[in-house]
Amino acid sequence: KQVQVSPRIRRLARELGVELSAVTGTGPHGRLTEDDIRKAAEQMKS
Amino acid sequence: MVVGEFSTEVDVLVIGAGPGGYVAAIRAAQLGKKVVVVDRDELGGVCLNRGCIPSKALISAAHRYEEMNHSDDMGFTAEGVKVDFSKVQSWKQGIVKKLTGGVGSLLKGNGVEVIKGEALFVGPNEARIYQGNEFNRYKFNHCIIATGSRPIELKAFPFGGRILSSTEALALEEIPKSMVVIGGGYIGIELGQTFAKFGTKVTIIEGADQILPLFESEIVRWVQRKLKKDGVEVYTKAKALSAAQTDTGVAVKYEVGGEEKEITAEYMLVTVGRVPNTDELGLDEIGLKKDERGYIQVDHQGRTNIENVYAIGDVVPGPALAHKASYEGKVAAEAIAGHASAVDYKCIPAIVFSDPEIASVGLSETEAKEKGCTVATGKFNYAANGRALSLNTNEGFVKIVADKESGVVLGGQIVGPGAPDLIAEIGLAIEMGATLEDIALTIHAHPTLGEMVAEAVENALGQGVHTIQK
């Protein structure tokens, strides 16, 4: 099932180098939120 | 200074100042780049000078004329309404001039240098810009090719004299008595119907089995019906064979249903598509890759096979639409500035200013089913919308297509007045991954045409208030 991601979050993920398919969304219906992307970016660093 | 010896260095050279090029130039300048944009014609490209804007101006003039003559059901009777077509044309040109002037001010205001001339690549980092026979050399770090497209010219019907492309049709000084339109795509339909409203006897010859072949037949039906009312003759599954020009007209031979026929008209308008302007730029000489049809191959940022050269708009594959070109222009400029931008859209709206207007975005019901989706659809008719009736219109519908299980909006199709504006909400819903409920729970102002989007959505959910639920 395709996770729904808004254009702004898609852009943020690109800027932070986060692969969308690798992130679990915590928003409604599993949506990816800004927090999800930022946390995934942090984890990539550590 | 000897011509051709002086070399100017710039960060970004943008070739073409259409909706792709000028937007790319401005965005690159906003991001701190030194930008030069070169165009051989007026600023604004095809869209402003020979496309979107002039055609919409003529369409609205024709619509005004029609309404002046046919508003008797609202209590208006007009007699002797006259069209001064040269005034229509000068009004239209005034709009074009205002907008192209605006583009010039925006470029200047952003510090972009504008050069009127033709560019020719002499290397991956250098181009000559010709002004007449003289040229200057420009060295660039990055280049964006945005040279657009031109009407396809058929060998059997070379443009000239009484055989027109959309460009000449838009600039006609008088209303033609008759016109044969080859090609029932959106340009042919928009222009054909417009002249028909002004009184031209219009015949449309389309090769496919319906006009506007990119739109669903349930939508196109409404346009066909109105074309008939407007006195337009439409032949589908038909093929133009030859044309013979005389001093006063053009005799067109065509084939339909296995039968050869001939029709004589004052003009023949050929609108069978557009071809990318990639043949006079010296692209082969610098090894830039094109496909067999002349389109430039690009990656997700608009980059060609030459690292520092980008291409956007009608010269790259995809629908030849101004809003696609502008979007790609921003992406390319941002990529050049080091941003992580990419061509990443879920949908591009397509609209036709036919009568009635039509608009489509995302997946149609058929396309969604072909992709294996279980589909929920909802429709709402203009005839049940209070605002539509108060505008004296009752023809058309809004249709929404969604994934049945999740409710995620997949597409929308609209036929009826205002469709090109109404489609924006559905486009946003698709980009956001919004569900039917998201739209249903958004308060739409009453009375507006926009309510029909919410009503179509409620019907898809099986809970429409202004439609009897079966």
Side-chain angles (χ1 to χ4, degrees):
Chain A
K1 190 176 150 187
Q2 208 190 339
V3 176
Q4 300 305 321
V5 193
S6 78
R8 193 177 79 88
I9 302 301
R10 300 204 294 269
R11 174 192 285 210
L12 181 69
R14 270 197 309 276
E15 283 169 357
L16 299 178
V18 172
E19 190 70 46
L20 287 178
S21 56
V23 187
T24 310
T26 60
H29 301 289
R31 267 158 214 272
L32 298 182
T33 65
E34 180 168 348
D35 261 6
D36 296 334
I37 302 296
R38 292 198 185 279
K39 275 180 191 154
E42 282 301 314
Q43 276 169 11
M44 280 164 52
K45 271 187 220 159
S46 58
Chain B
M1 182 184 84
V2 180
V3 172
E5 287 209 344
F6 181 71
S7 181
T8 308
E9 296 196 4
V10 296
D11 290 333
V12 183
L13 174 66
V14 180
I15 308 176
Y22 86 74
V23 168
I26 288 172
R27 179 55 54 88
Q30 285 171 341
L31 296 170
K33 299 290 177 186
K34 183 186 173 193
V35 185
V36 165
V37 61
V38 55
D39 198 296
R40 60 185 177 191
D41 292 314
E42 302 301 320
L43 296 176
V46 170
C47 173
L48 260 61
N49 294 284
R50 304 178 292 284
C52 323
I53 300 302
S55 86
K56 264 77 267 179
L58 282 192
I59 288 166
S60 65
H63 184 67
R64 179 71 62 95
Y65 181 52
E66 181 181 44
E67 290 206 314
M68 289 176 87
N69 282 310
H70 300 285
S71 293
D72 26 340
D73 42 359
M74 284 168 86
F76 298 96
T77 314
E79 276 164 33
V81 178
K82 286 194 190 76
V83 185
D84 179 345
F85 199 65
S86 65
K87 196 163 179 185
V88 172
Q89 283 290 16
S90 62
W91 168 74
K92 183 201 84 184
Q93 279 316 110
I95 298 166
V96 169
K97 212 176 150 196
K98 196 175 280 179
L99 288 169
T100 56
V103 170
S105 309
L106 289 171
L107 288 167
K108 196 179 164 198
N110 279 284
V112 176
E113 189 189 340
V114 177
I115 300 171
K116 189 164 185 164
E118 285 198 60
L120 180 73
F121 283 98
V122 291
N125 287 92
E126 192 175 346
R128 289 176 185 169
I129 295 180
Y130 285 83
Q131 293 175 293
N133 289 324
E134 298 181 353
F135 68 83
N136 286 301
R137 288 159 55 189
Y138 283 80
K139 285 206 160 125
F140 52 81
N141 294 322
H142 291 93
C143 177
I144 300 176
I145 302 170
T147 48
S149 61
R150 59 179 184 272
I152 288 180
E153 187 166 29
L154 297 176
K155 276 216 179 87
F157 313 108
F159 295 131
R162 298 189 167 274
I163 301 180
L164 315 175
S165 76
S166 54
T167 306
E168 295 84 43
L170 286 167
L172 284 171
E173 287 294 322
E174 287 176 8
I175 298 166
K177 289 186 185 68
S178 51
M179 182 183 272
V180 175
V181 181
I182 310 301
Y186 82 93
I187 298 174
I189 295 299
E190 286 184 355
L191 287 174
Q193 197 170 27
T194 296
F195 282 111
K197 284 175 194 278
F198 278 128
T200 306
K201 174 71 202 144
V202 175
T203 306
I204 294 172
I205 294 173
E206 164 62 40
D209 57 5
Q210 73 166 37
I211 54 165
L212 302 167
L214 295 178
F215 291 86
E216 288 186 295
S217 58
E218 63 177 334
I219 289 174
V220 174
R221 235 189 342 253
W222 290 89
V223 180
Q224 279 167 330
R225 210 161 76 178
K226 183 65 167 78
L227 282 167
K228 202 171 179 184
K229 269 191 200 164
D230 291 337
V232 178
E233 252 180 281
V234 178
Y235 294 101
T236 51
K237 292 187 208 163
K239 188 181 186 321
L241 302 171
S242 65
Q245 295 200 45
T246 67
D247 288 346
T248 54
V250 52
V252 183
K253 284 204 172 101
Y254 63 101
E255 190 195 301
V256 62
E259 217 179 304
E260 200 175 304
K261 295 185 176 184
E262 192 181 75
I263 184 169
T264 300
E266 208 173 343
Y267 292 102
M268 177 181 192
L269 167 62
V270 183
T271 59
V272 291
R274 302 186 65 86
V275 57
N277 294 325
T278 51
D279 42 1
E280 290 174 344
L281 286 162
L283 299 182
D284 296 334
E285 285 73 12
I286 62 165
L288 193 131
K289 275 188 199 151
K290 294 184 282 179
D291 69 15
E292 67 284 356
R293 292 161 63 212
Y295 291 97
I296 298 171
Q297 300 300 300
V298 289
D299 71 5
H300 62 290
Q301 292 191 309
R303 192 185 286 105
T304 67
N305 66 306
I306 298 175
E307 178 108 28
N308 62 316
V309 178
Y310 292 69
I312 58 169
D314 289 5
V315 297
V316 305
L321 297 171
H323 39 284
K324 168 185 166 275
S326 300
Y327 176 94
E328 290 170 346
K330 291 177 205 162
V331 169
E334 289 166 5
I336 286 169
H339 292 222
S341 296
V343 170
D344 173 24
Y345 51 74
K346 290 191 189 170
C347 58
I348 307 178
I351 57 179
V352 185
F353 288 82
S354 48
D355 183 5
E357 295 167 335
I358 64 184
S360 170
V361 70
L363 302 179
S364 69
E365 184 177 355
T366 315
E367 288 165 341
K369 283 177 178 164
E370 279 167 6
K371 286 202 164 194
C373 293
T374 311
V375 177
T377 64
K379 234 177 176 182
F380 195 83
N381 292 326
Y382 274 63
N385 176 266
R387 181 56 183 146
L389 296 184
S390 75
L391 287 166
N392 198 28
T393 176
N394 60 5
E395 299 194 342
F397 64 79
V398 174
K399 182 176 174 181
I400 199 97
V401 178
D403 177 71
K404 191 167 184 142
E405 192 200 336
S406 64
V408 169
V409 178
L410 301 173
Q413 294 81 39
I414 306 175
V415 53
D421 293 303
L422 296 172
I423 204 72
E425 180 182 9
I426 303 175
L428 176 65
I430 295 169
E431 287 295 344
M432 294 297 293
T435 63
L436 292 170
E437 280 191 307
D438 289 322
I439 295 181
L441 294 170
T442 300
I443 298 179
H444 290 65
H446 176 78
T448 60
L449 297 177
E451 286 178 284
M452 290 187 290
V453 175
E455 302 260 18
V457 161
E458 288 201 310
N459 282 337
L461 290 165
Q463 52 191 226
V465 168
H466 298 97
T467 309
I468 303 296
Q469 302 295 313
K470 285 167 200 161

